[in-house]
Structures are given as structure tokens and as C-alpha cells.
């Protein structure tokens, strides 16, 4: 016979196991924690348009889309985009329809500082952001600003962009102006959106402007400069602005989950993780700081074998390590998907050398059975999000987390059941992670509306609202996901059974 403490223990284990099963097939409404903020995001080049209006100068996406129009799907560009520069009032109206707590958007550096530098501030550009911020605040929608979401002034690119160490000063000067202009009203700041994409895709491969394909070299130099620039801005805000403005500031990392194909490939998956986002997370969020050890060793060894006099991965000075360590109030994560990883004999010599991928020596892929979105890279793997959140909690001592992007792409169409299902599944596992102890305070849907999806132009749509690019006023219409997200925000609950009536308009509730 079992004594009662033992019996209790077994009963408790059984209940726990059952509740995990229930989580998987959960069908009762699930509450969000009190105080959790729910919002949506966009970025300047992707929505603003007005590419040469009112004194704005060219950025690297203007240059790329005009110089080589058809590197973008269907030769699209962001000249008009969603025309948010002129339609910001409609954008805020949509935020009110959804009942958003906040809206995350980015500033166009070349709209505010047409020379790239603070010698000339473009009043018209400033006015646009003031109007947008004030309109949001009128309805109690918190502005969250990303200082850099990929649209570098072209002049700075001509001087090497993120590979020129002077970018540290350029970015600090620009950020100071932004804090001075908007920091009285804006309390959430993000320095840089997705450094990995900025450096690896912009400087290591031809998938983001400026299409500078110097993998395994320019991408690493970009990374080092970017981290130092970020940290300088963090400390500037902390020392000079936070005392009076009282806001919070951090960096936004894109973090996929890397799953080993089988247990024997665990090291390969971990190596890829460290190369893909450990390179940014380790210097800022680990106790030791600096680039991940495995990266330093692998790149140094490869560089030596290739005849380089020093590692292609630049070194931080001890002062820089200290400067970067801890330079973020929270870890902001953009998460979309999961990738499988393995390493076997076939990998050696598989990638061009020298290159970032050759330095890692792994092969990664998506399982062909995985359900996909319109974007080929985006597969629906909610368990990967759960594992990622667990890993972050364990590896970085449970940092405060903001989910600054999560979403799903479709083609055109208003009945987006696959997007609804994606959001529900990802929110569900996020709530699981919170129950496990993750400190997640913010969740952001990407995106408020369809927008310019970089090299994919307008062919891949991430919007809660569909945008009609044929209409001169870029008509925005709520998709089913907008109705569902609105109900999630209103009720502060995730209810898998909720079915909206899309024949009714999405109207603004009283309190908004
Ligand atoms: C991350 C980027 O920040 C955003 O600009 C992009 O549109 C989404 N991912 C979707 O790819």
C-alpha cells in the first residue's frame, strides 16, 4: 500500500502530465498575464512611401530598388508603399479598431537627417513622426520606436556603412537627435532591428541591401561595429536621457530555433545557434560577454588554414566587451520559425570558402512535411518557439523578454485561416513558456498591415489588414486574423473557438 505522501506525489505527477497533454489540445480560453502588452509592428521603408518628399534623402533601399528594380519580386519598390507618410491617421484608426496597447514602428534616418548627420534636421520629417506619435497618444496607444530598421542613408553606405567603424559615432549622433525630439513622449526604444539580417544578409549575401556579398568577412566586421554602436547608444540613453525621460531601451534579435535532426547532431545545432544569434546574444546577455567561444575558435582555425594573418572575426577590446555586456534592458525577439540541422562528412567542402557557412560546417533545412506560409522560409513549428523560449530562459538567466515580431505570410485574401491558426498556436506555447517561468512582457504581431517585404516586394503579405496596392489610397481592409486578434486583446484571452462575424465592420470600441 502507498503511504499518503507517496500517493499524493503520484497523483500530482499524473495531474501534471495530464495538464501538459491538455496544453497541447487546449480548447478552453486561456488568460494572458496581467500587464502584458499586445500590439503590432511595421517599419519605415516597408510602409511610409514618400521616398523623396519634403526633403527626405535617399537610403540604401531607395538606391537598390531604383538601380536594380527587378532584383525585387515583380520589380516592386517602396516609393509609395502603404503611403503611411500621408495616411498615418488611417493607420492609427486601425490600431484603435484592433484595440492595440502599442504600435512598434521605425524612424527613417534619411527623413530626419537628410545629410545623414545632425547638422541639418528636416522639420517636415520630424513633423510626420510628431503627428503619428501624438495621434497615437491621443488614444492611449503607446509608441515603440525602432531607431534602425534597415534603411541606412545612402551616403553612409557609400562610406562603407556598417563596415566603417565611424558608424558608431554616426549612429550615436542620429539616436541622440531622436531621443531629444521624441523621448518626452516615447518610452520604449529599440536600437537596431535584427542585426543578423543587417550583417549576414546585407554584407554577407545578396538578400538584403546593400547586397554586399563578402561572406565570412564584411558580415563579421559589420557585426562588431553594430554591437559597439548599439551599446554606445544604450549607455547614452541610460546616462543622458533615462533620468529625465524614464524609458526603456534594448536591441531586437531575430531568433529562430535550430533543432538537431537527431540527438547525435545536437552539437551541430548548438554551433549554428551560436553563429546565427549567439553572436549577438552572447556579447550582451551572457555573464562573460564577448563573441561565443565556439565561434572565436572555429573562425580563427579556418582563417589560419586559409592563410589569413588573423581571424576574420574581429576581436573586441576588453573595454568593448564591458561596454557591450548588459547593454539592453530586455531581450527583444523576432521569432517566426524553426530549422533542422545536421553535420556529417558531406558538409566539409559543401559551402564556398571562405564564408560564414563554411566557418560553421553544418547543413540546415526545413522538413518537407512541415506546413508552410507564402514565404518559403516560414514553416509553422510552434514547438520550436516553446523550445527557444525555454533555451533563452535557461541560457541567459531568465531575461525580460519582449516578443517584437511574430507572424505568418499569405498571398492576397481576407479569410486567412492559416494565419489565425499560426497566431493561436504560437500564442498558446508562449503562454506555456510564461507558465514555466519565462518573463515575457510584450507580444507584437507582424504586421499591422501588408507592406514591402524586402526582396519579395508585395508578393508575401504579413498584414492583419490587407492593403490594396491597385487603389490610389492604398485601401486597408481587416482580415479574419484582425478580428481574432482584436478579440484576443479585448478579452485578454486566447480562445481557439472564437469565430468572428466578418460581415460586420471592425469598429472602434468605446474606450479607444
Ligand atoms: C523581420 C523584419 O524585421 C521585417 O522587416 C520583415 O518584414 C519580417 N521579418 C517578415 O519577414
Amino acid at each position: 500500500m502507498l503511504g499518503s505522501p507517496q500517493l499524493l506525489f503520484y497523483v500530482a505527477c499524473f495531474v501534471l502530465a495530464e495538464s501538459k497533454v491538455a496544453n497541447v489540445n487546449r480548447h478552453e480560453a486561456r488568460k494572458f498575464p496581467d500587464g502584458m502588452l499586445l500590439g503590432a509592428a511595421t517599419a519605415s521603408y516597408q510602409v511610409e512611401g514618400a521616398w523623396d518628399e519634403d526633403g527626405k534623402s535617399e537610403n540604401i533601399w531607395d538606391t537598390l530598388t531604383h538601380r536594380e528594380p527587378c532584383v525585387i519580386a515583380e520589380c516592386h519598390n517602396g516609393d509609395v508603399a502603404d503611403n503611411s507618410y500621408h495616411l498615418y491617421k488611417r493607420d492609427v484608426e486601425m490600431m484603435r479598431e484592433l484595440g492595440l496597447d502599442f504600435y512598434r514602428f521605425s524612424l527613417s534616418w534619411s527623413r530626419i537627417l537628410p545629410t545623414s548627420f545632425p547638422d541639418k534636421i528636416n522639420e517636415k520629417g520630424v513633423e510626420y513622426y510628431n503627428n503619428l506619435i501624438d495621434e497615437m497618444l491621443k488614444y492611449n496607444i503607446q509608441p515603440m520606436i525602432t531607431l534602425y530598421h534597415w534603411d541606412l542613408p545612402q551616403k553612409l553606405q557609400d562610406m562603407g556603412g556598417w563596415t566603417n567603424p565611424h558608424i558608431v559615432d554616426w549612429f550615436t549622433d542620429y539616436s541622440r537627435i531622436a531621443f531629444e525630439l521624441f523621448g518626452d513622449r516615447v518610452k520604449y526604444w529599440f536600437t537596431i532591428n535584427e542585426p543578423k539580417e543587417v550583417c549576414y544578409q546585407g554584407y554577407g549575401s545578396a538578400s538584403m541591401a546593400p547586397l554586399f556579398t563578402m561572406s565570412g568577412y564584411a558580415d563579421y566586421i559589420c557585426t562588431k561595429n553594430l554591437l559597439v554602436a548599439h551599446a554606445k547608444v544604450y549607455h547614452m540613453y541610460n546616462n543622458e536621457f533615462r533620468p529625465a525621460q524614464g524609458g526603456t531601451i534594448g536591441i531586437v534579435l531575430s531568433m529562430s530555433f535550430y533543432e538537431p535532426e537527431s540527438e547525435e547532431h545536437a552539437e551541430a545545432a548548438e554551433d549554428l545557434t551560436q553563429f546565427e544569434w549567439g553572436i549577438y546574444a552572447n556579447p550582451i546577455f551572457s555573464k562573460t560577454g564577448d563573441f561565443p567561444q565556439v565561434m572565436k575558435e572555429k573562425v580563427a582555425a579556418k582563417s589560419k588554414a586559409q592563410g589569413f594573418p588573423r581571424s576574420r572575426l574581429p576581436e573586441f577590446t576588453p573595454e568593448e566587451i564591458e561596454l557591450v555586456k548588459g547593454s539592453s534592458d530586455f531581450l527583444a525577439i523576432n521569432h517566426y520559425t524553426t530549422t533542422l540541422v545536421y553535420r556529417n562528412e558531406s558538409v566539409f567542402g559543401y559551402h564556398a570558402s571562405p564564408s560564414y557557412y563554411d566557418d560553421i560546417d553544418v547543413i540546415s533545412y526545413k522538413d518537407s512535411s512541415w506546413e508552410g506560409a507564402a514565404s518559403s522560409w516560414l514553416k509553422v513549428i510552434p514547438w520550436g518557439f516553446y523550445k527557444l523560449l525555454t533555451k533563452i530562459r535557461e541560457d541567459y538567466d531568465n531575461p525580460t523578454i519582449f516578443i517584437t515580431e511574430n507572424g505568418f505570410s499569405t498571398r492576397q485574401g481576407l479569410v486567412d485561416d492559416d494565419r489565425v491558426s499560426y497566431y493561436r498556436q504560437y500564442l498558446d506555447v508562449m503562454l506555456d513558456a510564461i507558465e514555466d517561468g519565462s518573463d515575457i512582457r510584450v507580444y507584437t504581431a507582424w504586421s499591422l498591415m501588408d507592406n514591402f517585404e524586402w526582396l519579395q516586394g508585395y508578393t508575401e503579405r504579413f498584414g492583419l489588414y490587407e492593403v490594396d496596392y491597385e487603389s490610389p489610397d492604398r485601401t486597408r481592409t481587416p482580415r479574419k486574423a484582425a478580428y481574432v486578434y482584436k478579440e484576443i486583446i479585448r478579452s485578454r484571452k486566447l480562445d481557439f473557438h472564437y469565430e468572428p462575424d466578418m460581415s460586420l465592420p471592425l469598429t472602434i470600441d468605446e474606450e479607444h
Side-chain angles (χ1 to χ4, degrees), residues 196-209:
K196 181 182 100 175
E197 281 64 16
V198 173
C199 294
Y200 290 162
Q201 296 193 18
Y203 292 82
S205 75
S207 43
M208 286 290 166

Side-chain angles (χ1 to χ4, degrees), residues 1-186:
M1 276 284 283
L2 291 171
S4 63
Q6 275 160 305
L7 184 64
L8 264 178
F9 174 75
Y10 286 115
V11 169
C13 288
F14 178 74
V15 170
L16 208 67
E18 279 297 285
S19 73
K20 281 288 167 200
V21 173
N23 272 359
V24 175
N25 302 309
R26 183 179 292 276
H27 288 297
E28 77 273 23
R30 245 183 131 175
K31 186 108 184 58
F32 284 85
D34 290 342
M36 173 138 202
L37 300 177
L38 301 169
T42 62
S44 45
Y45 186 78
Q46 295 182 274
V47 300
E48 284 179 7
W51 76 278
D52 65 346
E53 278 181 55
D54 292 343
K56 175 182 165 296
S57 69
E58 271 192 39
N59 63 47
I60 55 176
W61 281 92
D62 297 318
T63 305
L64 174 66
T65 55
H66 297 158
R67 191 188 60 205
E68 295 175 64
C70 298
V71 298
I72 315 290
E74 301 184 11
C75 315
H76 290 156
N77 61 50
D79 287 0
V80 180
D82 295 352
N83 202 12
S84 284
Y85 186 71
H86 296 290
L87 298 176
Y88 73 90
K89 284 204 171 159
R90 171 64 183 133
D91 292 349
V92 177
E93 191 177 62
M94 286 145 59
M95 298 171 208
R96 296 170 63 206
E97 288 169 0
L98 292 168
L100 300 187
D101 296 325
F102 69 89
Y103 176 56
R104 172 182 174 237
F105 62 99
S106 77
L107 303 179
S108 159
W109 186 336
S110 65
R111 194 182 293 291
I112 297 176
L113 302 179
T115 65
S116 315
F117 306 111
D119 59 322
K120 185 175 174 301
I121 297 177
N122 180 20
E123 294 305 330
K124 282 285 191 186
V126 173
E127 190 181 306
Y128 163 64
Y129 293 115
N130 275 333
N131 286 340
L132 174 61
I133 292 166
D134 292 344
E135 184 75 4
M136 287 165 57
L137 288 174
K138 201 151 84 183
Y139 302 108
N140 212 13
I141 300 160
Q142 285 301 313
M144 293 192 180
I145 289 190
T146 312
L147 290 161
Y148 184 76
H149 199 126
W150 305 358
D151 43 359
L152 193 73
Q154 181 58 39
K155 288 275 182 244
L156 299 184
Q157 190 60 55
D158 295 342
M159 293 193 286
W162 291 98
T163 61
N164 185 332
H166 288 285
I167 191 96
V168 175
D169 287 341
W170 303 335
F171 184 60
T172 311
D173 294 346
Y174 154 65
S175 301
R176 178 192 301 283
I177 298 289
F179 298 144
E180 283 170 358
L181 288 169
F182 310 119
D184 56 336
R185 288 152 293 154
V186 175

Side-chain angles (χ1 to χ4, degrees), residues 272-284:
L272 184 59
T273 303
Q274 292 310 320
F275 270 75
E276 288 281 286
W277 51 254
I279 185 174
Y280 302 100
N282 206 74
I284 301 175

Side-chain angles (χ1 to χ4, degrees), residues 46 149-150 193-194 334 336 377 405 446 453-454 462:
Q46 295 182 274
H149 199 126
W150 305 358
N193 179 69
E194 298 196 348
N334 293 351
Y336 289 87
W377 54 269
E405 284 183 34
W446 182 273
E453 179 56 14
W454 310 111
F462 278 88

